[in-house]
Amino acid sequence: MTDMLKLQGVHTHIGQYHILHGVDLAVPRGQLTMLLGRNGAGKTTTLRTIMGLWQASQGSVTFDGRDITKTPTPEIAQAGIAYVPENMGIFADLTVRENMILAARGGEIDAARLKWIFGLFPALEKFWSLAAGVLSGGQKQMLAIARAIVEPRELLLIDEPTKGLAPAIIMNMVQAFRELKSTGATILLVEQNFLAAKLLGDHVAVMDDGRVVHTGAMAELAEDTTLQQKLLGLSMDAHQ
Amino acid sequence: MTAAADAPPTAALPKVRVDYLPMLLVPLLMLVALPLVGSVSTWVTLTVAALAMGMMIFLMASGLTLVFGLMDVLNFGHGVFISFGAYVSLIALGPLAGWVESDNLLLNIGVLLACILVAMLVTGGLGYAFERIVIRPVYGQHLKQILITMGGMIVAEQMIHVIWGASPIPLRLPEGLRGAIVIGDAAMEKYRVIAVVLGLTVFGIMHLVLNRTKIGLLIRAGVENAEMVEALGYRIRRLFVGVFVAGSALAGLGGVLWAFYRQTLTAGMGMEVNVLIFIVIIIGGLGSVGGCFIGALLVALVANYTGFLAPKLALGSSILLMVVILLWRPQGLYPVAKR
Ligand SMILES: Nc1ncnc2c1ncn2[C@@H]1O[C@H](COP(=O)(O)OP(=O)(O)OP(=O)(O)O)[C@@H](O)[C@H]1O
Ligand SMILES: [Mg+2]
């Protein structure tokens, strides 16, 4: 099994703050890797560093064998990494359709692919020509994910897609990720909802204080409540 | 099974709210002014003058609002392109002097279009250079942007003095564009009508580009969230340079029209309208082209009506208008959703 993405000893500074203190992380091809950790552990910063939105001050990020540590964000995107930020990054003044068109490189969306996406997220078909700003929080999240999968990408980085969503919608989301997984997609998913994490993850990496402090199979961590307690503390809501 | 089954089947479509209120302000202001002005013919003259002025201000300001929206760049040197646009039209006017005095209307219009073309080409090129030399080193640093762009403006003004001399240069309107169209007792200066038509045309084109083309979509998306546009794989810097060049060319176009309107060229003309332009883009909502259009019309209408009704207030009227609008909508008429 090869690693699609590899971070080695990555340090990131935001302004004068030292946020990541040597992150080591591997994302195996064709699998879903969960990135867990308490609030402020550095999960978002890790994804932003991979995307080139923050510059690593030390260490390296390798994607598909290519060093992308210093590569500008647009080139990283073009190399095949799609990013769903924590705040979703929806263009509120643009319609759902226009949001999707911008995500499709060639400017045209493959009809069969779109049909498949509508199957995952029916709300998008319904609101297709409305301004994205009128969508509900869950629908915006669906649009953000739909944008990332409008064309097949090598790797998806998704930051807390279930944040603030109602349980029923979270289960929709889990279903959609399952289906996405079945297409062989490689995903690095940040998640605070342990139940969702348990259902989806193949692998898991747990961060604390700007470092990865545990890696292993998700199933292992799911069974070991003492380890959960130790790594994730009480901030994890295991019974949601 | 997919998420489809779980979606509530009968949820109503959310209402699309088009925000008409700011648009209604323009006709409303005109209506309110009519009884105050008293005479219909005076009102028509004032209103046409205001619309012409509004269009020119819009042309000059539209690029600036996008430049701010896209990269958070405060360009206080935008007036450079207005002055330069006006002066370089002299390049076309030299060889075409015969066309200015000709009684062939087509030649008259031709010379105006030639001036516009030359001005837009030169100011577009100047904008490209200005972005590289003056703006690029100070991305993301507002204080430095203000200082260096103002500095750039002063240097440019001095360059105009060096090239074309320090004294004002009179500018003659082409023969067929002088005078007024008289309907009843209302007189509308022909040139003002032309300015309105040109302004509307450019606004229409901009609207189409922004709403119907991929570049336009990218610009609107970039104004909202530049980082996300990059994360989708587009180079926002390139887009920004394009917008800067186009905005400079539009300012040059506005400069030409403005110069013919005043029938004089002065090196300080760009600096003079600079303040007005900033008021307009703040009223409109920074980053919003539609807001800029309505803001420009409002500023011009208020300036013209108060100029007639209470000349002493005319100077402060734009600032007063801005204050009132910001009290109503603190982010301007059409606030741009920022991440
Ligand atoms: N723009 C910023 N400026 C300064 N500090 C920041 C900035 N962004 C994040 N931080 C700090 O970096 C640390 C890691 O933040 P990050 O957002 O990566 O954590 P996270 O694991 O994603 O947390 P959460 O679960 O709350 O999303 C936090 O201490 C945070 O306060
Ligand atoms: Mg986070």
Side-chain angles (χ1 to χ4, degrees):
Chain A
M1 190 163 50
T2 55
D3 291 332
M4 169 152 283
L5 180 80
K6 214 172 165 89
L7 277 72
Q8 284 169 305
V10 168
H11 289 252
T12 299
H13 288 76
I14 305 178
Q16 76 253 44
Y17 302 105
H18 194 168
I19 310 288
L20 298 188
H21 302 264
V23 170
D24 295 303
L25 177 70
V27 177
R29 192 181 297 274
Q31 312 255 320
L32 196 152
T33 305
M34 301 293 322
L35 188 58
L36 305 181
R38 295 173 231 253
N39 288 109
K43 306 178 294 293
T44 297
T45 307
T46 302
L47 294 199
R48 288 179 59 89
T49 305
I50 297 168
M51 219 44 218
L53 294 167
W54 299 128
Q55 277 283 312
S57 47
Q58 243 186 78
S60 70
V61 183
T62 324
F63 171 61
D64 239 352
R66 169 184 166 197
D67 185 348
I68 57 164
T69 321
K70 298 237 160 357
T71 310
T73 302
E75 268 177 61
I76 293 176
Q78 279 165 14
I81 305 186
Y83 175 49
V84 180
E86 200 169 10
N87 62 13
M88 301 178 281
I90 292 300
F91 305 118
D93 284 344
L94 273 58
T95 64
V96 171
R97 179 179 148 270
E98 289 169 337
N99 268 277
M100 293 287 283
I101 282 179
L102 285 190
R105 290 279 146 67
E108 277 185 37
I109 307 169
D110 178 71
R113 184 94 182 165
L114 189 61
K115 207 171 155 217
W116 174 66
I117 290 173
F118 284 160
L120 294 176
F121 307 121
L124 298 183
E125 179 165 23
K126 196 163 164 191
F127 300 146
W128 190 233
S129 40
L130 289 188
V134 306
L135 300 182
S136 71
Q139 291 160 347
K140 279 187 185 141
Q141 192 60 259
M142 293 172 189
L143 174 57
I145 295 165
R147 242 178 9 185
I149 59 174
V150 64
E151 286 163 354
R153 300 271 182 255
E154 305 267 301
L155 170 67
L156 303 177
L157 308 178
I158 306 176
D159 201 346
E160 283 199 57
T162 62
K163 192 168 131 189
L165 300 187
I169 303 181
I170 293 183
M171 289 324 288
N172 275 11
M173 232 19 128
V174 169
Q175 282 291 0
F177 283 122
R178 282 218 169 122
E179 172 132 3
L180 201 54
K181 267 180 74 169
S182 71
T183 65
T186 308
I187 305 175
L188 177 61
L189 184 61
V190 172
E191 189 50 85
Q192 293 272 36
N193 183 307
F194 196 73
L195 179 66
K198 228 164 32 180
L199 289 171
L200 290 168
D202 298 312
H203 301 273
V204 62
V206 182
M207 289 190 74
D208 196 19
D209 207 9
R211 288 180 190 84
V212 173
V213 292
H214 168 90
T215 51
M218 186 69 226
E220 242 167 67
L221 182 62
E223 275 162 23
D224 191 340
T225 41
T226 8
L227 191 59
Q228 284 168 33
Q229 190 68 23
K230 181 173 152 247
L231 292 172
L232 303 164
L234 298 170
S235 76
M236 252 347 189
D237 189 352
H239 305 286
Q240 197 169 346
Chain B
M1 193 168 65
T2 66
D6 301 313
T10 53
L13 281 179
K15 287 244 158 49
V16 201
R17 292 165 294 117
V18 179
D19 187 1
Y20 288 109
L21 276 181
M23 297 179 211
L24 288 176
L25 282 181
V26 175
L28 190 73
L29 194 58
M30 292 180 186
L31 278 181
V32 170
L34 182 54
L36 293 175
V37 171
S39 124
V40 174
S41 60
T42 312
W43 178 82
V44 169
T45 306
L46 284 174
T47 305
V48 172
L51 292 180
M53 183 180 158
M55 293 299 169
M56 289 184 261
I57 298 175
F58 164 71
L59 291 175
M60 297 188 253
S62 53
L64 192 62
T65 200
L66 284 178
V67 159
F68 180 83
L70 214 46
M71 292 291 279
D72 257 5
V73 167
L74 281 170
N75 179 13
F76 277 87
H78 196 66
V80 167
F81 309 115
I82 297 167
S83 311
F84 256 90
Y87 271 86
V88 294
S89 58
L90 290 174
I91 297 172
L93 278 176
L96 298 180
W99 290 17
V100 175
E101 301 303 331
S102 159
D103 43 19
N104 181 339
L105 185 62
L106 281 181
L107 289 185
N108 295 156
I109 292 177
V111 71
L112 182 64
L113 291 180
C115 288
I116 288 173
L117 188 69
V118 171
M120 290 183 80
L121 284 176
V122 172
T123 51
L126 194 66
Y128 184 76
F130 198 87
E131 198 278 334
R132 293 226 114 167
I133 299 165
V134 180
I135 306 276
R136 196 165 296 188
V138 292
Y139 273 141
Q141 304 164 292
H142 276 162
L143 185 62
K144 284 190 184 169
Q145 282 166 10
I146 295 171
L147 293 176
I148 199 170
T149 54
M150 280 189 156
M153 176 114 133
I154 292 165
V155 170
E157 202 175 314
Q158 293 309 312
M159 269 169 68
I160 290 179
H161 283 284
V162 171
I163 303 173
W164 287 288
S167 40
I169 300 174
L171 206 59
R172 276 180 73 70
L173 261 179
E175 178 65 33
L177 311 182
R178 292 173 209 157
I181 306 165
V182 183
I183 304 169
D185 4 303
M188 299 182 285
E189 282 188 36
K190 286 184 200 163
Y191 180 69
R192 292 177 181 171
V193 177
I194 290 176
V196 171
V197 171
L198 264 174
L200 279 178
T201 310
V202 173
F203 178 63
I205 293 172
M206 278 180 86
H207 193 81
L208 278 181
V209 169
L210 284 174
N211 289 289
R212 295 288 156 81
T213 68
K214 180 139 185 196
I215 296 273
L217 282 189
L218 281 171
I219 293 171
R220 284 164 56 213
V223 167
E224 254 191 69
N225 189 343
E227 194 175 274
M228 195 61 216
V229 170
E230 292 234 291
L232 289 177
Y234 303 96
R235 288 186 185 79
I236 200 90
R237 291 268 164 116
R238 258 195 219 168
L239 195 65
F240 176 73
V241 172
V243 167
F244 199 93
V245 168
S248 307
L250 285 174
L253 162 61
V256 173
L257 295 181
W258 186 240
F260 275 110
Y261 186 75
R262 306 191 327 158
Q263 308 198 13
T264 346
L265 292 170
T266 55
M269 60 184 284
M271 195 103 88
E272 283 157 26
V273 279
N274 222 15
V275 177
L276 210 54
I277 288 173
F278 269 91
I279 291 178
V280 162
I281 67 174
I282 290 169
I283 287 180
L286 289 165
S288 161
V289 170
C292 174
F293 184 72
I294 293 175
L297 289 179
L298 290 178
V299 162
L301 285 167
V302 167
N304 275 271
Y305 292 141
T306 50
F308 175 79
L309 294 168
K312 280 187 186 151
L313 285 182
L315 260 181
S317 68
S318 319
I319 294 182
L320 198 65
L321 177 69
M322 177 173 77
V323 170
V324 171
I325 298 241
L326 292 186
L327 282 176
W328 175 43
R329 293 197 171 176
Q331 305 288 315
L333 292 174
Y334 286 109
V336 172
K338 280 270 179 190
R339 68 208 113 103

